[in-house]
Amino acid sequence: MGLFRDAPPREHPDYAQLRFMAAGSPSWWKRNRHKVLAVAGLLTGFWLAGHHETAPKTCAPVITSSNAN
């Protein structure tokens, strides 16, 4: 359907020979990137957890020897 009633639609000369092509198969990375990133995230999490101290270091009170009698 053309823009105006008096101008019937016709093929554009530059795009008349185009044909649709089937999509190619995705690469290995596109098929498996979610698995790779999940494993990398888990390994990073385990590595960070191994470097995390469970008990926080607290300051010991200063012992002074004073005779407050």
Side-chain angles (χ1 to χ4, degrees), residues 12-53:
H12 192 279
D14 294 339
Y15 302 112
Q17 300 299 319
L18 291 180
R19 300 288 181 257
F20 289 106
M21 296 175 58
S25 61
S27 65
W28 180 90
W29 172 249
K30 287 186 179 181
R31 285 191 315 264
N32 297 308
R33 63 183 167 196
H34 63 284
K35 297 174 189 175
V36 172
L37 294 175
V39 169
L42 282 172
L43 291 176
T44 302
F46 285 133
W47 180 75
L48 287 173
H51 289 79
H52 180 70
E53 295 192 24

